Amino acid sequence: MDLAFVQSGLLEKYLDTDVISAARVTALLERRGILDGTPVYLDEETQTPIPPLCEFGRYLSTSLLDETTLKDYGRVIGRLDDHLAGLDSDVLSAAESDLVSYRGYRTQRQKKPVGASVWSRESFVLDDFYGFLVDRKILTHRPVRLAARGRNALAPRVRSGMDIRHLTFEQYRYLRDVGLGGQLPNAEVDLAFRGWSPLRGRAGSDMALGTGARWREWSTVLLPEIGLWPGMPGGAAEYVVQACAKYGKARPIYVPEDAVESAGLFCLLERPDIVRRAARGLERKARELFVVGEVDVAGGRVRGVLDGIVREFEMAAMDAKLRRITVYEGEFGLEALSLFICRGGLMPGADAWKGYRHRAWTRMNELADGTTPHLPARRWRWHDLRHTYALQMLTYLENSMDGPEPDQQARRRRHRSYLTGHIRHNPLLIVSRRLGHASPETTYQYLQYTDDLINEFEAAFAGWVGDDEATYAEIASHALASTKGAC
């Protein structure tokens, strides 16, 4: 079985037939709600669609999943079929022993076994897939028996908690300045540094830590959203993230002034050269881009031409795919509207940011000496900066709430005096809202880390982002102030 994915943007370039036009095919896909990324399963010999599997692909598409998720779910079924082919079976005729064998292969026997969290997602997709086939009467029953209380028998037996990893002040500065920024451990400039655009890496890490946002939420930010646009006053910024947020849950993201200045330094010193070098290439593929002609900063909207049609979008509702192709006419020609850009002139993708992080980790280990802070066995992730934000913010708010009151009983009475006060000022709930967690239960898992040595600082984030002596207490102050208007 072969696996392909719907990609409507490639139709005009590659569809070569007199039977139907690319525009007609695109219109049909839109009319029937088939999204980009929808998996299409083809017979290996005839290259014709396999109806039951393609029906499942359409079912996933109608669930309004994003393109990346659709592809990931589609690959789960493809990997299972590849494994079953070696057992002289396939996904439609698999027995329980076949799926148990596949679980053992993925979690134990393959060259790089997957962890519990990855297999948990895969087992969910497989359970949903076979449930779909039974509901549509394609199969009479699921190949795997249900466990107690209807639990998916393929799922991991032990529910794992969040993998919360956080950085100390010294670790963060070593990551930002040495790994990403091209400095030596003694803070001198490394003339042998072969990295590219160190200010972009520094700005990215400052954005990740200063906002506490998920990678997709801060790496896709547009220039007008962060205040780096003509006519905007500068300073701290706040923008609404929705299409790029997890589950599409809208929330405001506050960007402290020092993080904005770090991004501004990248825009001043490095970004123009990248834009100039990439301008000619962007001009050649202008027809494939969303060329913005009008930016309504106050209304949070952009208006321009996409696929030859004048379109208008709310910035918060623009997904990562659209943001990546959004450009405007700048000093050197077309340039990306996104803050972060790579050599091609457009927004870096997940693989690019992963590469920046991996190269930084390699560099940090190579330069490690007696003054280097502890480096864990596993390389840091961008998401670890979000965990660091949460722990720093949580501890700082707790200390602010407690104040100088030495009596613990008095502090507890003050915290529970009124329900409204609890909802508005409870540090855990404030951090939960800032992180965009669907439930405070997720934020509870940070509590076990708040007694760590990382939280011995009196003022959260003091001197972390930027190079000034400014404290990051204004982040917490802003968080507290914004809750007052919500009640």
Side-chain angles (χ1 to χ4, degrees):
M1 180 179 73
D2 290 335
L3 173 62
F5 300 100
V6 173
Q7 196 70 44
S8 59
L10 300 178
L11 286 170
E12 185 175 349
K13 186 174 182 180
Y14 293 105
L15 184 63
D16 184 17
T17 178
D18 296 329
V19 177
I20 189 171
S21 66
R24 177 61 176 164
V25 175
T26 302
L28 286 172
L29 292 173
E30 292 178 353
R31 178 183 175 184
R32 297 181 181 180
I34 300 177
L35 306 178
D36 281 357
T38 299
V40 179
Y41 301 93
L42 306 172
D43 182 270
E44 191 171 352
E45 294 182 359
T46 64
Q47 290 297 292
T48 55
I50 303 174
L53 303 189
C54 289
E55 285 181 33
F56 178 68
R58 187 172 182 183
Y59 158 76
L60 292 177
S61 182
T62 57
S63 300
L64 301 181
L65 302 174
D66 61 58
E67 182 176 350
T68 301
T69 304
L70 283 171
K71 290 182 177 180
D72 288 343
Y73 284 10
R75 292 187 185 104
V76 170
I77 307 303
R79 280 194 296 266
L80 173 62
D81 190 78
D82 289 342
H83 177 78
L84 294 177
L87 304 177
D88 295 327
S89 183
D90 58 59
V91 292
L92 297 178
S93 59
E96 184 175 47
S97 59
D98 295 330
L99 296 180
V100 171
S101 170
Y102 178 65
R103 180 181 63 183
Y105 170 74
R106 286 287 284 161
T107 61
Q108 298 175 16
R109 298 191 303 273
Q110 69 178 24
K111 185 176 181 180
K112 188 177 180 181
V114 299
S117 60
V118 174
W119 177 249
S120 179
R121 290 193 295 271
E122 289 201 11
S123 66
F124 166 79
V125 176
L126 296 178
D127 186 61
D128 194 35
F129 171 67
Y130 283 110
F132 168 84
L133 296 180
V134 172
D135 290 342
R136 296 298 175 91
K137 311 299 182 185
I138 298 171
L139 295 180
T140 58
H141 61 277
R142 297 169 185 259
V144 179
R145 295 165 291 177
L146 293 178
R149 297 183 295 277
R151 189 177 67 85
N152 174 16
L154 291 175
R157 304 216 169 190
V158 179
R159 184 178 178 183
S160 59
M162 289 175 58
D163 182 17
I164 297 178
R165 301 169 60 201
H166 51 285
L167 284 67
T168 64
F169 171 81
E170 292 80 6
Q171 287 174 330
Y172 174 71
R173 280 302 183 96
Y174 190 72
L175 166 65
R176 189 196 72 170
D177 297 340
V178 177
L180 296 166
Q183 292 184 7
L184 293 170
N186 61 4
E188 294 181 358
V189 175
D190 183 4
L191 299 179
F193 178 60
R194 309 304 297 174
W196 201 72
S197 195
L199 292 179
R200 179 184 56 204
R202 287 171 57 98
S205 58
D206 280 349
M207 282 287 292
L209 179 72
T211 63
R214 298 178 180 91
W215 166 79
R216 188 182 293 273
E217 296 167 346
W218 61 260
S219 66
T220 60
V221 67
L222 303 179
L223 291 170
E225 291 178 317
I226 199 176
L228 298 175
W229 191 252
M232 299 190 72
E238 185 173 297
Y239 64 97
V240 176
V241 62
Q242 184 265 314
C244 292
K246 192 173 183 178
Y247 307 124
K249 182 181 178 182
R251 78 178 193 281
I253 290 182
Y254 173 68
V255 188
E257 183 174 356
D258 282 346
V260 175
E261 290 179 355
S262 182
L265 192 61
F266 162 64
C267 291
L268 179 66
L269 299 180
E270 288 183 352
R271 197 176 186 277
D273 186 56
I274 303 174
V275 168
R276 180 180 57 80
R277 292 170 182 268
R280 183 175 298 179
L282 293 182
E283 291 287 352
R284 287 196 294 266
K285 54 183 180 182
R287 294 180 59 187
E288 304 171 13
L289 305 175
F290 175 37
V291 183
V292 171
E294 179 182 345
V295 177
D296 179 7
V297 175
R301 306 183 72 86
V302 292
R303 182 183 176 88
V305 178
L306 177 63
D307 296 329
I309 303 173
V310 177
R311 303 286 300 274
E312 184 173 329
F313 295 97
E314 184 179 357
M315 283 187 271
M318 296 172 63
D319 60 21
K321 183 178 179 181
L322 178 58
R323 286 168 178 258
R324 190 175 191 277
I325 62 171
T326 300
V327 299
Y328 71 101
E329 191 70 35
E331 178 183 358
F332 302 106
L334 292 181
E335 69 174 274
L337 194 64
S338 59
L339 165 63
F340 296 108
I341 58 176
C342 57
R343 293 193 182 191
L346 298 178
M347 187 177 75
D351 289 340
W353 283 103
K354 182 179 180 180
Y356 305 153
R357 178 172 59 85
H358 284 199
R359 287 190 291 273
W361 182 258
T362 300
R363 173 177 166 79
M364 287 188 293
N365 279 277
E366 290 176 347
L367 294 177
D369 56 24
T371 65
T372 301
H374 171 70
L375 298 178
R378 294 165 54 199
R379 66 170 68 95
W380 285 314
R381 309 160 299 183
W382 292 111
H383 203 75
D384 295 336
L385 299 181
R386 173 175 164 87
H387 293 163
T388 305
Y389 169 95
L391 291 169
Q392 286 289 126
M393 177 69 76
L394 184 57
T395 300
Y396 181 78
L397 290 173
E398 287 177 342
N399 292 341
S400 298
M401 286 290 292
D402 290 342
E405 176 61 68
D407 184 359
Q408 294 185 4
Q409 295 295 331
R411 288 204 301 269
R412 282 197 289 269
R413 285 195 299 271
R414 184 173 61 192
H415 280 287
R416 68 186 182 216
S417 296
Y418 301 100
L419 177 62
T420 54
H422 170 75
I423 294 174
R424 291 170 58 191
H425 302 301
N426 183 285
L428 194 71
L429 297 181
I430 291 175
V431 172
S432 181
R433 288 192 291 268
R434 282 292 170 185
L435 294 178
H437 285 160
S439 168
E441 181 181 357
T442 305
T443 321
Y444 292 161
Q445 299 189 50
Y446 286 99
L447 291 177
Q448 60 185 308
Y449 297 91
T450 55
D451 291 331
D452 191 271
L453 292 177
I454 191 176
N455 299 303
E456 291 184 349
F457 297 95
E458 286 294 328
F461 304 107
W464 284 61
V465 179
D467 297 312
D468 299 331
E469 297 299 324
T471 174
Y472 255 54
E474 71 261 23
I475 304 178
S477 300
H478 184 276
L480 285 168
S482 64
T483 60
K484 296 179 181 179
C487 298

